Amino acid sequence: MFAVHPDLLYRFLTRSLVSPNSGEGWLSKLGVQKLEPTKESHSRMLSDKEVIYALHTHNIRPDSFDKYLKNYEENVNLIHSKRTELNCELVASWTVDVGDLDQALHLWQYTGGFERIDQAQTVLSQDESYQKLLKERGNHLRSRHLQYLLAFSYWPPVVKREEKNIYEIRSYRLRPGTMIEWGNNWARAINHRRKNDEPFAAYFSQIGRLYNVHHIWCYKDLQSRKETRESAWRSPGWDECVAYTVPLIREMHCRILTPTSFSPTK
């Protein structure tokens, strides 16, 4: 037996499983339609707000976890003290309980588009206290990554939670050219997941790792997560939405998150 590379298999299926009479392939039967040319950017078609989100992912040295959290809380307080000038605020801050351990995620919101991000970077580059915290934080980290994201327009607005919760971030790497199909399918799929108030936020990448999607869900605990997800599978139509989106995915993984003590959402 020999292994077939997934991309070669994908190309074979999309070429060979096409009916010569109908021009309809196997993937199109699953809902993966050929995209028509458009003069509208995909970002504009999927997101309707001039709000940019920054997702910072920090991999922390295990022996520096507490020092790192103290440093980042000071960082948050400093930025919030300049909130009017910077037009940005922390939406949520988490540490990872299941998945990539010794990791923290921080989600920031910038109102006013990339112009506000440029202005904020200029201000902070000249702030000695911020630069000192940034330098100190480097001693506590193994690596870090930043993505600029847009929110999907079909997702419910972000509502900060006040009671104790856990969160799940499900991250997907999609096949290039499939973001519109993803949005079309999830605009329907989200209706199957609203009743338990579990959707928190959903984003797609603009700068950083491209064709990345992040869905963030909120649960009381792992048991309620299990029950809620099983309930979705009993909802007529959910299985079809899953079947339509699976062919769009190249890679996916999930992490279970706990809010930090200074996270605006709990």
Side-chain angles (χ1 to χ4, degrees):
M1 295 294 291
F2 60 93
V4 178
H5 193 279
D7 285 345
L8 293 177
L9 178 59
Y10 177 81
R11 286 197 290 269
F12 170 79
L13 289 172
T14 54
R15 289 181 180 178
S16 63
L17 296 183
V18 175
S19 166
N21 297 323
S22 65
E24 183 179 38
W26 175 74
L27 286 179
S28 65
K29 291 178 181 178
L30 285 181
V32 184
Q33 304 296 328
K34 179 182 177 181
L35 295 180
E36 297 298 329
T38 176
K39 296 187 181 298
E40 189 79 19
S41 73
H42 289 182
S43 300
R44 287 293 181 185
M45 296 170 70
L46 293 165
S47 186
D48 57 6
K49 296 180 180 178
E50 278 296 313
V51 178
I52 309 296
Y53 294 86
L55 180 62
H56 295 260
T57 302
H58 291 170
N59 294 303
I60 308 163
R61 291 178 50 175
D63 60 351
S64 300
F65 212 90
D66 291 339
K67 293 178 182 178
Y68 164 83
L69 290 176
K70 183 177 183 296
N71 172 284
Y72 205 85
E73 184 173 9
E74 293 179 20
N75 176 81
V76 171
N77 292 336
L78 187 152
I79 293 176
H80 280 178
S81 71
K82 302 174 179 292
R83 193 189 312 248
T84 303
E85 183 180 8
L86 299 177
N87 278 284
C88 74
E89 63 175 327
L90 184 67
V91 176
S93 180
W94 302 284
T95 56
V96 177
D97 277 358
V98 182
D100 301 317
L101 300 180
D102 300 318
Q103 189 178 82
L105 281 73
H106 309 288
L107 182 65
W108 291 85
Q109 174 183 302
Y110 291 82
T111 303
F114 282 106
E115 180 182 0
R116 291 301 185 185
I117 293 178
D118 289 337
Q119 292 175 359
Q121 289 179 338
T122 299
V123 171
L124 292 175
S125 69
Q126 300 169 358
D127 189 292
E128 292 184 3
S129 296
Y130 176 84
Q131 292 300 318
K132 181 181 178 182
L133 287 170
L134 188 63
K135 184 176 181 180
E136 289 176 354
R137 190 154 63 248
N139 297 325
H140 308 319
L141 295 175
R142 293 180 288 113
S143 63
R144 56 187 176 174
H145 179 72
L146 168 62
Q147 277 184 314
Y148 287 126
L149 312 168
L150 294 179
F152 283 110
S153 58
Y154 58 77
W155 201 270
V158 171
V159 176
K160 295 175 183 176
R161 314 301 168 92
E162 296 182 358
E163 298 180 3
K164 184 179 179 181
N165 295 288
I166 65 169
Y167 292 78
E168 178 180 13
I169 180 168
R170 297 179 71 86
S171 300
Y172 305 87
R173 184 167 66 95
L174 304 185
R175 296 185 180 278
T178 61
M179 190 66 73
I180 297 297
E181 283 298 313
W182 182 271
N184 287 342
N185 281 298
W186 266 99
R188 298 189 298 274
I190 191 63
N191 295 320
H192 298 280
R193 302 291 296 271
R194 288 176 181 268
K195 60 183 178 182
N196 293 311
D197 196 29
E198 57 182 311
F200 180 73
Y203 306 103
F204 61 97
S205 58
Q206 278 285 283
I207 301 178
R209 297 187 182 104
L210 298 180
Y211 280 95
N212 271 196
V213 169
H214 303 288
H215 290 178
I216 306 175
W217 308 91
C218 180
Y219 304 102
K220 291 299 179 186
D221 48 38
L222 289 176
Q223 179 62 27
S224 66
R225 171 188 178 273
K226 174 180 179 293
E227 294 170 355
T228 300
R229 289 177 57 81
E230 289 177 350
S231 175
W233 281 102
R234 293 192 293 269
S235 177
W238 171 252
D239 55 343
E240 291 185 6
C241 292
V242 172
Y244 292 158
T245 54
V246 165
L248 311 179
I249 301 170
R250 281 191 166 179
E251 182 183 354
M252 61 183 289
H253 72 287
C254 78
R255 287 160 287 179
I256 300 298
L257 314 173
T258 299
T260 63
S261 61
F262 51 87
S263 176
T265 191
K266 302 301 180 185

